[in-house]
């Protein structure tokens, strides 16, 4: 096989479903018939109303899928496939595909797709999932707007970055911005970003101050600007813009700037919808206003599910909305009670800290205070602030924690030295029953105030956990307390009561055990990540698990999570309160089969940690 064909084969075998059938001899034959297509931004790949006879693989670039009435359904990036839905319908396509940036595509003939689909169960299973879950939901979304919550920020970029050297003068910078018709200019040295200048900077920092036109641009630039990673979501860009009061964010890939996203780009893409929930939150000056917005969250959640967002996207989006509520309430609280007498950090715990929240959740939070805190002088202020915030979060749909793990509980409102002692005691003298309840504290993210307090505490936790292996033994035992709902012959074990008697709890019996397993491994290697999938990446890089096991856990988490959110969406559509109790009789045969596989993975990984951390003592 020549070099070019080898490169094509290696590229497709890095992504599903080809990575699972990479050893198949047929792939080498198929590769010989793959054609390469280059399309420029704005060009059609599958035009409206045309037949399609190709499976497309995105080698680089980005493609958007549009409905018959030109509604955006979803955006796809490197490694993704499209065109298969029409191939399964004899070439008839209900969607059109258009490049949103210059893209390189591999065209796989229909006959190879249909051959592999008929002959290879692993290959067909992948597209069964796509057809039965993702594509059906995408088709249903034709009457809905796809939220920017699900879009990578890179999809908002409309042009290559426009830049200038730091020794350029103000006149040159203004001429470049005028010629290129941009409102910001990146300042670089040896292709690395060192600053940014906007049209506002030219007005307020140069013209208004009467600076000479030959003044170096470095004199008015913003050095070390706030940036976005190309893998971040658009929702995160909105949040940063709101928090920092900026209107331009450079986007970085591999430490190099690849463009700038502005508020104008976001407005052009979506003038309404779920992203603007965040900006609307920060505009509110009353609890009543926040309550009104909170009632839109159910629609936001269902919109994300219909828009074919995966569980990570939905968790990220809903967590950012929850964080925005907390921040705005704390701002209003400080307006009411005055500025804090000593530094503090309001921290999210559990799913919000991991950025894995969904629609039905209670609040888990705490307060870390500076060691300058004096109970007699400052206690009343922080008691009032915490109680006010927690009670109003409850009014905004984030129920009070039944276990009282909230900042309003004085036990969880302490100086950092006390918090460090808490974790030292839990880690050095672990008690299984207490750790089962308190494991939520090991997922801790600072979201408002002096975030260095949370950073210091997390650093302390990692150091203590890594140094005391006996603690990991207890955590591993706790991770084995909640077993997947599988019995003999892979039959589902039902565990509900009353109205839920024919159900099992997907969160308690599927998702929580995976989170517990991953947390133990993350603590063992000293990972500083909080999100479960990001922790898995660190664990895989560390070589802690046998090859492929980290990916297995990620896939199991996604499969169980997708069944959970679809179940909750169906409940919402039926006017019911969403919960985690699923009746297997209501699942498709496909869902049952793959849930069993996912639960098998969880069970095997529980056995692995039982022996991996068995009998160790400090």
């Amino acid at each position: 096989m020549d070099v070019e064909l080898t490169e094509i084969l290696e590229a497709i075998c890095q992504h599903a479903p080809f990575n699972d059938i990479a050893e198949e001899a047929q792939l080498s034959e198929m590769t010989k018939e793959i054609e390469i297509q280059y399309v420029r931004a704005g060009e059609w790949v599958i035009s409206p109303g045309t037949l399609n006879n190709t499976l497309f693989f995105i080698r680089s670039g980005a493609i958007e899928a549009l409905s018959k009435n030109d509604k955006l359904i979803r955006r796809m990036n490197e490694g993704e496939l499209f065109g298969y839905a029409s191939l399964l319908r004899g070439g008839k396509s209900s969607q059109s595909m258009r490049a949103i940036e210059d893209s390189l595509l591999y065209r796989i003939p229909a006959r190879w797709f249909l051959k592999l689909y008929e002959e290879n169960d692993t290959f067909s299973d992948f597209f069964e999932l796509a057809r039965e879950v993702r594509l059906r939901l995408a088709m249903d979304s034709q009457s809905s707007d796809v939220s920017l919550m699900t879009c990578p920020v890179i999809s908002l970029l409309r042009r290559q970055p426009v830049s200038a050297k730091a020794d350029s003068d103000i006149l040159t910078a203004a001429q470049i911005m005028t010629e290129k018709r941009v409102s910001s200019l990146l300042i670089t040295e040896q292709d690395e970003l060192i600053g940014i200048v906007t049209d506002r900077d030219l007005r307020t920092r140069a013209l208004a101050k009467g600076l000479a036109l030959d003044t170096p641009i470095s004199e008015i630039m913003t050095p070390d600007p706030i940036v976005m990673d190309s893998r971040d979501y658009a929702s995160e860009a909105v949040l940063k813009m709101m928090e920092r009061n900026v209107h331009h964010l450079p986007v970085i890939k591999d430490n190099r700037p690849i463009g700038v996203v502005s508020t104008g780009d976001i407005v052009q893409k979506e003038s309404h919808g779920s992203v603007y929930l965040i900006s609307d939150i920060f505009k509110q000056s009353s609890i009543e206003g926040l309550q009104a917005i909170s009632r839109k969250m159910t629609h936001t959640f269902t919109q994300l599910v219909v828009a074919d967002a995966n569980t990570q996207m939905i968790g990220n989006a809903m967590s950012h909305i929850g964080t925005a509520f907390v921040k705005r309430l704390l701002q209003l609280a400080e307006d009411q009670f005055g500025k804090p007498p000593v530094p503090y950090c309001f921290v999210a715990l559990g799913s919000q800290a991991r950025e894995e929240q969904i629609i039905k959740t209670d609040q888990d939070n705490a307060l870390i205070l500076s060691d300058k805190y004096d109970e007699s002088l400052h206690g009343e202020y922080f008691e009032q602030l915490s109680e006010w915030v927690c009670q109003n979060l409850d009014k905004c749909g984030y129920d009070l924690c039944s276990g009282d793990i909230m900042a309003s509980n004085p036990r969880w409102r302490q100086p950092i030295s006390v918090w460090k002692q808490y974790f030292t005691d839990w880690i050095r003298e672990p008690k299984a029953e207490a750790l089962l309840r308190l494991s939520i504290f090991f997922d801790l993210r600072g979201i408002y105030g002096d975030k260095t307090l949370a950073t210091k505490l997390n650093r302390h936790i990692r150091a203590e956990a890594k140094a005391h292996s006996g603690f990991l033994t207890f955590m591993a035992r706790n991770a084995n307390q909640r077993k997947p709902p599988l019995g003999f012959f892979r039959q589902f074990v039902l565990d509900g009561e009353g109205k839920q008697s024919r159900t099992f709890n997907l969160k308690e019996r599927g998702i929580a055990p995976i989170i517990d397993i991953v947390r133990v491994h993350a603590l063992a290697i000293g990972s500083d990540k909080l999100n479960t999938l990001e922790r898995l990446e660190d664990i895989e890089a560390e070589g802690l698990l046998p090859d492929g096991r980290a990916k297995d856990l990620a896939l199991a988490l996604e499969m169980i999570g997708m069944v959970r959110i679809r179940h909750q969406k169906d409940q919402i559509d039926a006017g019911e309160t969403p919960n985690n109790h699923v009746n297997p009789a209501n699942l498709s045969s496909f869902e049952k089969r793959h849930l069993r596989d996912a639960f098998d993975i969880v069970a095997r990984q529980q056995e692995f940690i039982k022996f991996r951390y068995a009998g160790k003592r400090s």
Side-chain angles (χ1 to χ4, degrees), residues 3 14 98 134 138 146 151 184 237 251 352 373 406 499 597 615:
V3 175
Q14 290 179 20
R98 181 171 60 193
R134 294 180 11 221
V146 176
C151 299
S184 65
V251 179
Q352 187 174 8
Y373 173 77
M406 296 180 291
K499 292 182 178 180
D597 291 342

Side-chain angles (χ1 to χ4, degrees), residues 463-476:
E464 286 283 314
K466 200 169 184 180
H468 295 85
S469 56
F471 160 72
L472 295 176
T473 299
F474 277 94
M475 290 289 282

Side-chain angles (χ1 to χ4, degrees), residues 287 326 329-330 332-334 336-337 344 346 363 365-367 369 378-396 398-401 404-413:
I287 302 304
V326 172
L329 283 170
L330 283 162
L332 294 176
E334 289 184 4
Q336 180 166 334
F337 300 113
Y344 75 96
F346 194 97
Q363 53 180 291
N365 49 58
L367 212 64
L369 302 162
H378 313 133
E380 183 179 358
Y381 173 89
F382 287 107
E383 179 182 0
Q384 289 180 326
L385 178 137
S386 300
E387 182 69 21
W388 191 87
V389 169
C390 290
Q391 291 297 325
N392 284 305
L393 275 173
D394 181 54
K395 293 178 181 177
C396 292
Y398 297 91
D399 297 343
L400 296 172
C401 175
D404 205 18
I405 300 178
M406 296 180 291
S408 54
N409 182 338
R411 187 182 180 189
W412 313 128
R413 187 175 67 245

Side-chain angles (χ1 to χ4, degrees), residues 194-450:
I194 63 169
I196 187 172
V197 171
T198 68
D199 50 6
R200 179 181 296 182
D201 295 329
L202 289 174
R203 294 195 307 270
T204 61
R205 298 178 181 178
L207 294 177
K209 293 184 178 181
L211 294 184
L213 294 180
D214 61 357
T215 302
I217 196 68
S218 58
E219 295 290 321
I220 68 166
M221 75 178 186
T222 299
D224 300 320
I226 303 161
V227 300
M228 301 296 298
D229 187 270
S230 60
R231 295 170 296 182
D232 291 337
Y233 295 123
S235 60
E236 295 173 279
V238 173
L239 195 60
K240 278 191 178 181
M241 287 177 176
M242 294 297 149
E243 286 179 331
R244 309 296 183 87
N245 193 29
V246 296
H247 303 279
H248 300 82
L249 289 173
V251 179
I252 302 297
K253 184 176 183 180
D254 299 329
N255 296 320
R256 295 287 187 270
I258 59 172
V260 178
V261 62
S262 69
T263 50
D265 297 324
I266 293 173
V267 169
Q268 182 173 342
K269 288 290 185 181
E270 182 175 312
S271 60
H272 63 285
S274 54
V275 161
Y276 277 80
L277 215 60
I278 291 176
S279 60
D280 285 345
I281 288 169
F282 285 105
K283 293 174 185 176
Q284 302 308 309
S285 57
S286 69
I287 302 304
E288 291 74 20
L290 289 172
Q291 283 180 295
I293 291 178
S294 72
R295 289 190 283 271
K296 300 178 182 178
M297 286 194 297
T298 298
H299 172 71
T300 298
F301 172 76
T302 57
Q303 184 185 47
L304 289 168
V305 178
V306 166
D308 199 23
N310 61 34
T311 58
Q312 185 181 17
M313 290 176 175
I314 293 174
N316 179 279
M318 300 307 292
S319 298
H320 274 74
I321 293 171
T323 296
F325 273 108
V326 172
K327 289 180 176 180
R328 187 57 186 147
L329 283 170
L330 283 162
Q331 290 169 354
L332 294 176
E334 289 184 4
D335 289 343
Q336 180 166 334
F337 300 113
K339 293 299 180 183
V342 297
Y344 75 96
C345 180
F346 194 97
V347 297
L349 305 169
S351 62
Q352 187 174 8
R354 296 190 305 273
E355 296 187 340
E356 295 168 2
Q357 274 189 327
I358 54 171
I359 185 60
K360 184 61 178 175
T361 184
D362 58 4
Q363 53 180 291
D364 296 300
N365 49 58
L367 212 64
I368 306 173
L369 302 162
S370 162
D371 279 334
K372 297 178 182 178
Y373 173 77
D374 183 321
E375 173 68 24
S376 62
L377 297 176
H378 313 133
E380 183 179 358
Y381 173 89
F382 287 107
E383 179 182 0
Q384 289 180 326
L385 178 137
S386 300
E387 182 69 21
W388 191 87
V389 169
C390 290
Q391 291 297 325
N392 284 305
L393 275 173
D394 181 54
K395 293 178 181 177
C396 292
Y398 297 91
D399 297 343
L400 296 172
C401 175
S402 58
D404 205 18
I405 300 178
M406 296 180 291
S408 54
N409 182 338
R411 187 182 180 189
W412 313 128
R413 187 175 67 245
Q414 295 291 340
I416 186 169
S417 58
V418 175
W419 275 108
K420 286 183 177 180
Q421 192 60 50
Y422 280 169
F423 281 97
T424 296
D425 292 344
W426 294 337
I427 291 170
R428 295 187 182 185
E429 299 180 13
K431 297 178 181 178
E433 184 178 348
L435 286 178
L436 182 62
R437 182 171 66 89
L438 297 174
S439 61
I440 186 174
F441 283 97
F442 289 89
D443 301 334
L444 177 153
R445 185 188 298 272
I447 60 174
Y448 185 86
D450 184 358

